[in-house]
mmCIF file of all heavy atoms in Angstrom:
data_model
loop_
_atom_site.group_PDB
_atom_site.id
_atom_site.type_symbol
_atom_site.label_atom_id
_atom_site.label_comp_id
_atom_site.label_asym_id
_atom_site.label_seq_id
_atom_site.Cartn_x
_atom_site.Cartn_y
_atom_site.Cartn_z
ATOM 1 N N LYS A 1405 6.946 -17.636 11.404
ATOM 2 C CA LYS A 1405 5.839 -17.374 12.333
ATOM 3 C C LYS A 1405 4.909 -16.318 11.753
ATOM 4 O O LYS A 1405 5.356 -15.272 11.284
ATOM 5 C CB LYS A 1405 6.408 -16.929 13.676
ATOM 6 C CG LYS A 1405 5.466 -17.105 14.855
ATOM 7 C CD LYS A 1405 6.202 -16.810 16.164
ATOM 8 C CE LYS A 1405 7.297 -17.795 16.437
ATOM 9 N NZ LYS A 1405 7.960 -17.564 17.749
ATOM 10 N N GLY A 1406 3.616 -16.604 11.786
ATOM 11 C CA GLY A 1406 2.618 -15.692 11.243
ATOM 12 C C GLY A 1406 2.335 -15.897 9.765
ATOM 13 O O GLY A 1406 1.360 -15.355 9.233
ATOM 14 N N ARG A 1407 3.175 -16.676 9.085
ATOM 15 C CA ARG A 1407 2.967 -16.941 7.646
ATOM 16 C C ARG A 1407 2.641 -18.406 7.376
ATOM 17 O O ARG A 1407 1.874 -18.709 6.463
ATOM 18 C CB ARG A 1407 4.219 -16.562 6.847
ATOM 19 C CG ARG A 1407 4.613 -15.103 6.952
ATOM 20 C CD ARG A 1407 5.738 -14.751 5.984
ATOM 21 N NE ARG A 1407 6.967 -15.496 6.256
ATOM 22 C CZ ARG A 1407 7.583 -16.275 5.366
ATOM 23 N NH1 ARG A 1407 7.098 -16.407 4.152
ATOM 24 N NH2 ARG A 1407 8.705 -16.895 5.692
ATOM 25 N N PHE A 1408 3.238 -19.302 8.150
ATOM 26 C CA PHE A 1408 3.043 -20.742 7.958
ATOM 27 C C PHE A 1408 2.187 -21.304 9.093
ATOM 28 O O PHE A 1408 2.260 -20.831 10.232
ATOM 29 C CB PHE A 1408 4.384 -21.478 7.965
ATOM 30 C CG PHE A 1408 5.262 -21.211 6.772
ATOM 31 C CD1 PHE A 1408 4.992 -20.209 5.855
ATOM 32 C CD2 PHE A 1408 6.411 -21.979 6.573
ATOM 33 C CE1 PHE A 1408 5.808 -19.969 4.766
ATOM 34 C CE2 PHE A 1408 7.242 -21.755 5.487
ATOM 35 C CZ PHE A 1408 6.945 -20.744 4.582
ATOM 36 N N THR A 1409 1.420 -22.348 8.759
ATOM 37 C CA THR A 1409 0.613 -23.034 9.763
ATOM 38 C C THR A 1409 0.766 -24.535 9.589
ATOM 39 O O THR A 1409 0.543 -25.063 8.494
ATOM 40 C CB THR A 1409 -0.872 -22.663 9.634
ATOM 41 O OG1 THR A 1409 -1.028 -21.246 9.764
ATOM 42 C CG2 THR A 1409 -1.693 -23.344 10.720
ATOM 43 N N ILE A 1410 1.130 -25.208 10.674
ATOM 44 C CA ILE A 1410 1.233 -26.661 10.658
ATOM 45 C C ILE A 1410 -0.021 -27.237 11.307
ATOM 46 O O ILE A 1410 -0.550 -26.687 12.284
ATOM 47 C CB ILE A 1410 2.505 -27.149 11.385
ATOM 48 C CG1 ILE A 1410 2.702 -28.652 11.191
ATOM 49 C CG2 ILE A 1410 2.492 -26.768 12.864
ATOM 50 C CD1 ILE A 1410 4.059 -29.161 11.690
ATOM 51 N N SER A 1411 -0.491 -28.337 10.759
ATOM 52 C CA SER A 1411 -1.655 -29.025 11.326
ATOM 53 C C SER A 1411 -1.548 -30.503 10.988
ATOM 54 O O SER A 1411 -0.726 -30.908 10.161
ATOM 55 C CB SER A 1411 -2.959 -28.438 10.776
ATOM 56 O OG SER A 1411 -3.036 -28.612 9.371
ATOM 57 N N ARG A 1412 -2.366 -31.304 11.635
ATOM 58 C CA ARG A 1412 -2.346 -32.741 11.366
ATOM 59 C C ARG A 1412 -3.765 -33.291 11.455
ATOM 60 O O ARG A 1412 -4.618 -32.762 12.177
ATOM 61 C CB ARG A 1412 -1.425 -33.463 12.337
ATOM 62 C CG ARG A 1412 -1.872 -33.470 13.768
ATOM 63 C CD ARG A 1412 -0.771 -34.016 14.697
ATOM 64 N NE ARG A 1412 -0.457 -35.407 14.413
ATOM 65 C CZ ARG A 1412 0.666 -35.999 14.844
ATOM 66 N NH1 ARG A 1412 1.564 -35.314 15.536
ATOM 67 N NH2 ARG A 1412 0.879 -37.271 14.570
ATOM 68 N N ASP A 1413 -3.985 -34.378 10.724
ATOM 69 C CA ASP A 1413 -5.243 -35.106 10.773
ATOM 70 C C ASP A 1413 -4.884 -36.558 11.065
ATOM 71 O O ASP A 1413 -4.459 -37.288 10.159
ATOM 72 C CB ASP A 1413 -5.981 -34.978 9.437
ATOM 73 C CG ASP A 1413 -7.359 -35.611 9.466
ATOM 74 O OD1 ASP A 1413 -7.599 -36.501 10.297
ATOM 75 O OD2 ASP A 1413 -8.187 -35.229 8.637
ATOM 76 N N ASN A 1414 -5.019 -36.961 12.298
ATOM 77 C CA ASN A 1414 -4.596 -38.306 12.683
ATOM 78 C C ASN A 1414 -5.480 -39.384 12.052
ATOM 79 O O ASN A 1414 -5.023 -40.508 11.851
ATOM 80 C CB ASN A 1414 -4.590 -38.447 14.197
ATOM 81 C CG ASN A 1414 -3.424 -37.708 14.841
ATOM 82 O OD1 ASN A 1414 -2.427 -37.386 14.187
ATOM 83 N ND2 ASN A 1414 -3.539 -37.416 16.125
ATOM 84 N N ALA A 1415 -6.708 -39.047 11.734
ATOM 85 C CA ALA A 1415 -7.579 -40.021 11.072
ATOM 86 C C ALA A 1415 -7.090 -40.321 9.658
ATOM 87 O O ALA A 1415 -7.349 -41.404 9.130
ATOM 88 C CB ALA A 1415 -9.005 -39.501 11.035
ATOM 89 N N LYS A 1416 -6.391 -39.362 9.059
ATOM 90 C CA LYS A 1416 -5.874 -39.532 7.695
ATOM 91 C C LYS A 1416 -4.373 -39.791 7.677
ATOM 92 O O LYS A 1416 -3.778 -39.871 6.604
ATOM 93 C CB LYS A 1416 -6.192 -38.295 6.851
ATOM 94 C CG LYS A 1416 -7.680 -38.062 6.639
ATOM 95 C CD LYS A 1416 -7.920 -36.852 5.748
ATOM 96 C CE LYS A 1416 -9.407 -36.645 5.496
ATOM 97 N NZ LYS A 1416 -9.665 -35.461 4.624
ATOM 98 N N ASN A 1417 -3.755 -39.876 8.848
ATOM 99 C CA ASN A 1417 -2.302 -40.089 8.924
ATOM 100 C C ASN A 1417 -1.543 -39.054 8.100
ATOM 101 O O ASN A 1417 -0.602 -39.388 7.368
ATOM 102 C CB ASN A 1417 -1.928 -41.500 8.458
ATOM 103 C CG ASN A 1417 -2.131 -42.542 9.537
ATOM 104 O OD1 ASN A 1417 -2.762 -42.275 10.544
ATOM 105 N ND2 ASN A 1417 -1.614 -43.740 9.326
ATOM 106 N N THR A 1418 -1.941 -37.806 8.211
ATOM 107 C CA THR A 1418 -1.369 -36.752 7.369
ATOM 108 C C THR A 1418 -1.068 -35.506 8.192
ATOM 109 O O THR A 1418 -1.857 -35.131 9.070
ATOM 110 C CB THR A 1418 -2.325 -36.399 6.215
ATOM 111 O OG1 THR A 1418 -2.596 -37.578 5.455
ATOM 112 C CG2 THR A 1418 -1.699 -35.356 5.297
ATOM 113 N N VAL A 1419 0.056 -34.892 7.889
ATOM 114 C CA VAL A 1419 0.414 -33.603 8.463
ATOM 115 C C VAL A 1419 0.543 -32.597 7.322
ATOM 116 O O VAL A 1419 0.966 -32.953 6.216
ATOM 117 C CB VAL A 1419 1.703 -33.687 9.308
ATOM 118 C CG1 VAL A 1419 2.890 -34.109 8.447
ATOM 119 C CG2 VAL A 1419 1.981 -32.390 10.015
ATOM 120 N N TYR A 1420 0.153 -31.369 7.595
ATOM 121 C CA TYR A 1420 0.114 -30.332 6.562
ATOM 122 C C TYR A 1420 0.985 -29.142 6.953
ATOM 123 O O TYR A 1420 1.221 -28.883 8.129
ATOM 124 C CB TYR A 1420 -1.321 -29.837 6.360
ATOM 125 C CG TYR A 1420 -2.315 -30.922 6.039
ATOM 126 C CD1 TYR A 1420 -3.116 -31.479 7.038
ATOM 127 C CD2 TYR A 1420 -2.468 -31.386 4.742
ATOM 128 C CE1 TYR A 1420 -4.031 -32.471 6.757
ATOM 129 C CE2 TYR A 1420 -3.387 -32.382 4.440
ATOM 130 C CZ TYR A 1420 -4.159 -32.923 5.457
ATOM 131 O OH TYR A 1420 -5.068 -33.919 5.168
ATOM 132 N N LEU A 1421 1.411 -28.417 5.942
ATOM 133 C CA LEU A 1421 2.079 -27.141 6.165
ATOM 134 C C LEU A 1421 1.475 -26.137 5.185
ATOM 135 O O LEU A 1421 1.744 -26.216 3.978
ATOM 136 C CB LEU A 1421 3.584 -27.240 5.968
ATOM 137 C CG LEU A 1421 4.359 -25.969 6.306
ATOM 138 C CD1 LEU A 1421 4.308 -25.690 7.816
ATOM 139 C CD2 LEU A 1421 5.812 -26.067 5.848
ATOM 140 N N GLN A 1422 0.652 -25.243 5.696
ATOM 141 C CA GLN A 1422 0.093 -24.176 4.884
ATOM 142 C C GLN A 1422 1.073 -23.008 4.888
ATOM 143 O O GLN A 1422 1.415 -22.488 5.956
ATOM 144 C CB GLN A 1422 -1.262 -23.726 5.440
ATOM 145 C CG GLN A 1422 -1.893 -22.569 4.690
ATOM 146 C CD GLN A 1422 -2.296 -22.939 3.276
ATOM 147 O OE1 GLN A 1422 -2.864 -24.008 3.042
ATOM 148 N NE2 GLN A 1422 -2.000 -22.062 2.324
ATOM 149 N N MET A 1423 1.511 -22.612 3.708
ATOM 150 C CA MET A 1423 2.512 -21.567 3.581
ATOM 151 C C MET A 1423 1.911 -20.384 2.828
ATOM 152 O O MET A 1423 1.538 -20.526 1.661
ATOM 153 C CB MET A 1423 3.740 -22.097 2.848
ATOM 154 C CG MET A 1423 4.335 -23.353 3.478
ATOM 155 S SD MET A 1423 5.875 -23.875 2.695
ATOM 156 C CE MET A 1423 5.293 -24.307 1.077
ATOM 157 N N ASN A 1424 1.811 -19.261 3.489
ATOM 158 C CA ASN A 1424 1.267 -18.044 2.891
ATOM 159 C C ASN A 1424 2.340 -16.964 2.832
ATOM 160 O O ASN A 1424 3.366 -17.054 3.509
ATOM 161 C CB ASN A 1424 0.082 -17.542 3.712
ATOM 162 C CG ASN A 1424 -1.066 -18.529 3.753
ATOM 163 O OD1 ASN A 1424 -1.289 -19.292 2.820
ATOM 164 N ND2 ASN A 1424 -1.812 -18.517 4.857
ATOM 165 N N SER A 1425 2.089 -15.954 2.044
ATOM 166 C CA SER A 1425 3.018 -14.819 1.913
ATOM 167 C C SER A 1425 4.439 -15.296 1.676
ATOM 168 O O SER A 1425 5.387 -14.860 2.331
ATOM 169 C CB SER A 1425 2.965 -13.939 3.177
ATOM 170 O OG SER A 1425 1.656 -13.472 3.403
ATOM 171 N N LEU A 1426 4.577 -16.188 0.732
ATOM 172 C CA LEU A 1426 5.882 -16.793 0.481
ATOM 173 C C LEU A 1426 6.890 -15.779 -0.031
ATOM 174 O O LEU A 1426 6.546 -14.839 -0.769
ATOM 175 C CB LEU A 1426 5.737 -17.950 -0.503
ATOM 176 C CG LEU A 1426 5.172 -19.240 0.134
ATOM 177 C CD1 LEU A 1426 4.621 -20.166 -0.934
ATOM 178 C CD2 LEU A 1426 6.250 -19.928 0.950
ATOM 179 N N LYS A 1427 8.144 -16.006 0.370
ATOM 180 C CA LYS A 1427 9.248 -15.133 -0.013
ATOM 181 C C LYS A 1427 10.294 -15.955 -0.768
ATOM 182 O O LYS A 1427 10.350 -17.176 -0.627
ATOM 183 C CB LYS A 1427 9.889 -14.516 1.231
ATOM 184 C CG LYS A 1427 8.920 -13.796 2.140
ATOM 185 C CD LYS A 1427 9.627 -13.333 3.409
ATOM 186 C CE LYS A 1427 8.670 -12.645 4.368
ATOM 187 N NZ LYS A 1427 9.349 -12.200 5.606
ATOM 188 N N ALA A 1428 11.149 -15.269 -1.498
ATOM 189 C CA ALA A 1428 12.203 -15.965 -2.240
ATOM 190 C C ALA A 1428 13.075 -16.791 -1.292
ATOM 191 O O ALA A 1428 13.520 -17.891 -1.655
ATOM 192 C CB ALA A 1428 13.041 -14.960 -3.014
ATOM 193 N N GLU A 1429 13.284 -16.292 -0.093
ATOM 194 C CA GLU A 1429 14.138 -17.008 0.860
ATOM 195 C C GLU A 1429 13.481 -18.261 1.439
ATOM 196 O O GLU A 1429 14.116 -19.005 2.175
ATOM 197 C CB GLU A 1429 14.575 -16.091 2.000
ATOM 198 C CG GLU A 1429 13.457 -15.334 2.674
ATOM 199 C CD GLU A 1429 13.303 -13.914 2.108
ATOM 200 O OE1 GLU A 1429 13.370 -13.752 0.868
ATOM 201 O OE2 GLU A 1429 13.105 -12.995 2.935
ATOM 202 N N ASP A 1430 12.222 -18.505 1.109
ATOM 203 C CA ASP A 1430 11.580 -19.755 1.508
ATOM 204 C C ASP A 1430 11.899 -20.895 0.545
ATOM 205 O O ASP A 1430 11.525 -22.040 0.800
ATOM 206 C CB ASP A 1430 10.053 -19.581 1.576
ATOM 207 C CG ASP A 1430 9.620 -18.620 2.663
ATOM 208 O OD1 ASP A 1430 10.180 -18.682 3.777
ATOM 209 O OD2 ASP A 1430 8.702 -17.804 2.399
ATOM 210 N N THR A 1431 12.584 -20.586 -0.540
ATOM 211 C CA THR A 1431 12.952 -21.603 -1.514
ATOM 212 C C THR A 1431 13.863 -22.645 -0.885
ATOM 213 O O THR A 1431 14.900 -22.312 -0.309
ATOM 214 C CB THR A 1431 13.649 -20.960 -2.721
ATOM 215 O OG1 THR A 1431 12.711 -20.117 -3.400
ATOM 216 C CG2 THR A 1431 14.162 -22.015 -3.682
ATOM 217 N N ALA A 1432 13.464 -23.912 -0.989
ATOM 218 C CA ALA A 1432 14.220 -25.002 -0.377
ATOM 219 C C ALA A 1432 13.522 -26.317 -0.682
ATOM 220 O O ALA A 1432 12.395 -26.328 -1.193
ATOM 221 C CB ALA A 1432 14.321 -24.817 1.137
ATOM 222 N N VAL A 1433 14.189 -27.403 -0.333
ATOM 223 C CA VAL A 1433 13.526 -28.699 -0.282
ATOM 224 C C VAL A 1433 12.938 -28.841 1.115
ATOM 225 O O VAL A 1433 13.630 -28.638 2.112
ATOM 226 C CB VAL A 1433 14.499 -29.856 -0.569
ATOM 227 C CG1 VAL A 1433 13.790 -31.195 -0.423
ATOM 228 C CG2 VAL A 1433 15.105 -29.704 -1.964
ATOM 229 N N TYR A 1434 11.659 -29.164 1.176
ATOM 230 C CA TYR A 1434 10.956 -29.296 2.443
ATOM 231 C C TYR A 1434 10.771 -30.774 2.794
ATOM 232 O O TYR A 1434 10.332 -31.569 1.951
ATOM 233 C CB TYR A 1434 9.595 -28.592 2.368
ATOM 234 C CG TYR A 1434 9.717 -27.092 2.471
ATOM 235 C CD1 TYR A 1434 10.262 -26.341 1.435
ATOM 236 C CD2 TYR A 1434 9.294 -26.419 3.621
ATOM 237 C CE1 TYR A 1434 10.397 -24.968 1.541
ATOM 238 C CE2 TYR A 1434 9.416 -25.038 3.732
ATOM 239 C CZ TYR A 1434 9.971 -24.328 2.691
ATOM 240 O OH TYR A 1434 10.095 -22.961 2.795
ATOM 241 N N TYR A 1435 11.107 -31.092 4.032
ATOM 242 C CA TYR A 1435 11.030 -32.464 4.519
ATOM 243 C C TYR A 1435 10.078 -32.543 5.712
ATOM 244 O O TYR A 1435 10.103 -31.660 6.585
ATOM 245 C CB TYR A 1435 12.398 -32.950 4.988
ATOM 246 C CG TYR A 1435 13.457 -32.972 3.934
ATOM 247 C CD1 TYR A 1435 14.263 -31.859 3.698
ATOM 248 C CD2 TYR A 1435 13.681 -34.121 3.173
ATOM 249 C CE1 TYR A 1435 15.254 -31.888 2.732
ATOM 250 C CE2 TYR A 1435 14.680 -34.149 2.214
ATOM 251 C CZ TYR A 1435 15.460 -33.033 1.999
ATOM 252 O OH TYR A 1435 16.441 -33.066 1.042
ATOM 253 N N CYS A 1436 9.290 -33.602 5.765
ATOM 254 C CA CYS A 1436 8.573 -33.867 7.006
ATOM 255 C C CYS A 1436 9.311 -34.971 7.756
ATOM 256 O O CYS A 1436 10.050 -35.767 7.163
ATOM 257 C CB CYS A 1436 7.113 -34.224 6.771
ATOM 258 S SG CYS A 1436 6.814 -35.833 6.049
ATOM 259 N N ALA A 1437 9.114 -34.981 9.062
ATOM 260 C CA ALA A 1437 9.832 -35.912 9.911
ATOM 261 C C ALA A 1437 8.970 -36.290 11.112
ATOM 262 O O ALA A 1437 8.106 -35.522 11.521
ATOM 263 C CB ALA A 1437 11.150 -35.303 10.374
ATOM 264 N N ALA A 1438 9.257 -37.463 11.669
ATOM 265 C CA ALA A 1438 8.496 -37.968 12.813
ATOM 266 C C ALA A 1438 9.436 -38.259 13.970
ATOM 267 O O ALA A 1438 10.491 -38.875 13.784
ATOM 268 C CB ALA A 1438 7.728 -39.239 12.431
ATOM 269 N N ALA A 1439 9.026 -37.814 15.151
ATOM 270 C CA ALA A 1439 9.801 -38.042 16.364
ATOM 271 C C ALA A 1439 8.930 -38.791 17.367
ATOM 272 O O ALA A 1439 7.789 -38.407 17.587
ATOM 273 C CB ALA A 1439 10.255 -36.717 16.963
ATOM 274 N N PRO A 1440 9.469 -39.837 18.007
ATOM 275 C CA PRO A 1440 8.655 -40.603 18.955
ATOM 276 C C PRO A 1440 8.217 -39.787 20.166
ATOM 277 O O PRO A 1440 7.136 -39.987 20.701
ATOM 278 C CB PRO A 1440 9.568 -41.761 19.352
ATOM 279 C CG PRO A 1440 10.938 -41.316 19.016
ATOM 280 C CD PRO A 1440 10.810 -40.372 17.855
ATOM 281 N N LYS A 1441 9.048 -38.864 20.576
ATOM 282 C CA LYS A 1441 8.680 -37.977 21.669
ATOM 283 C C LYS A 1441 9.700 -36.853 21.739
ATOM 284 O O LYS A 1441 10.821 -36.982 21.248
ATOM 285 C CB LYS A 1441 8.648 -38.725 23.003
ATOM 286 C CG LYS A 1441 9.983 -39.280 23.447
ATOM 287 C CD LYS A 1441 9.878 -39.981 24.786
ATOM 288 C CE LYS A 1441 11.228 -40.546 25.220
ATOM 289 N NZ LYS A 1441 11.133 -41.220 26.541
ATOM 290 N N VAL A 1442 9.295 -35.748 22.299
ATOM 291 C CA VAL A 1442 10.216 -34.652 22.561
ATOM 292 C C VAL A 1442 9.969 -34.155 23.976
ATOM 293 O O VAL A 1442 8.842 -34.201 24.468
ATOM 294 C CB VAL A 1442 10.056 -33.495 21.549
ATOM 295 C CG1 VAL A 1442 10.468 -33.932 20.162
ATOM 296 C CG2 VAL A 1442 8.640 -32.974 21.547
ATOM 297 N N GLY A 1443 11.014 -33.686 24.617
ATOM 298 C CA GLY A 1443 10.865 -33.297 26.013
ATOM 299 C C GLY A 1443 10.197 -31.954 26.201
ATOM 300 O O GLY A 1443 9.429 -31.750 27.134
ATOM 301 N N THR A 1444 10.467 -31.019 25.293
ATOM 302 C CA THR A 1444 9.914 -29.673 25.409
ATOM 303 C C THR A 1444 9.473 -29.192 24.038
ATOM 304 O O THR A 1444 9.814 -29.786 23.020
ATOM 305 C CB THR A 1444 10.966 -28.695 25.958
ATOM 306 O OG1 THR A 1444 12.031 -28.596 25.005
ATOM 307 C CG2 THR A 1444 11.525 -29.172 27.294
ATOM 308 N N MET A 1445 8.745 -28.098 24.028
ATOM 309 C CA MET A 1445 8.329 -27.526 22.741
ATOM 310 C C MET A 1445 9.556 -27.144 21.922
ATOM 311 O O MET A 1445 9.615 -27.399 20.719
ATOM 312 C CB MET A 1445 7.457 -26.299 22.994
ATOM 313 C CG MET A 1445 6.109 -26.613 23.595
ATOM 314 S SD MET A 1445 5.039 -27.470 22.445
ATOM 315 C CE MET A 1445 4.700 -26.159 21.292
ATOM 316 N N ALA A 1446 10.528 -26.537 22.573
ATOM 317 C CA ALA A 1446 11.730 -26.108 21.859
ATOM 318 C C ALA A 1446 12.482 -27.289 21.268
ATOM 319 O O ALA A 1446 13.165 -27.140 20.248
ATOM 320 C CB ALA A 1446 12.630 -25.319 22.800
#
């Protein structure tokens, strides 16, 4: 929170993850995923 920003462009069928102030602990394989619906934000 405060370092990464998620956004989407439905016209381009694309979702983005802007990652700033990266730390060593951010090292990982990053996956995007799609869910048909979710009940709550959490």
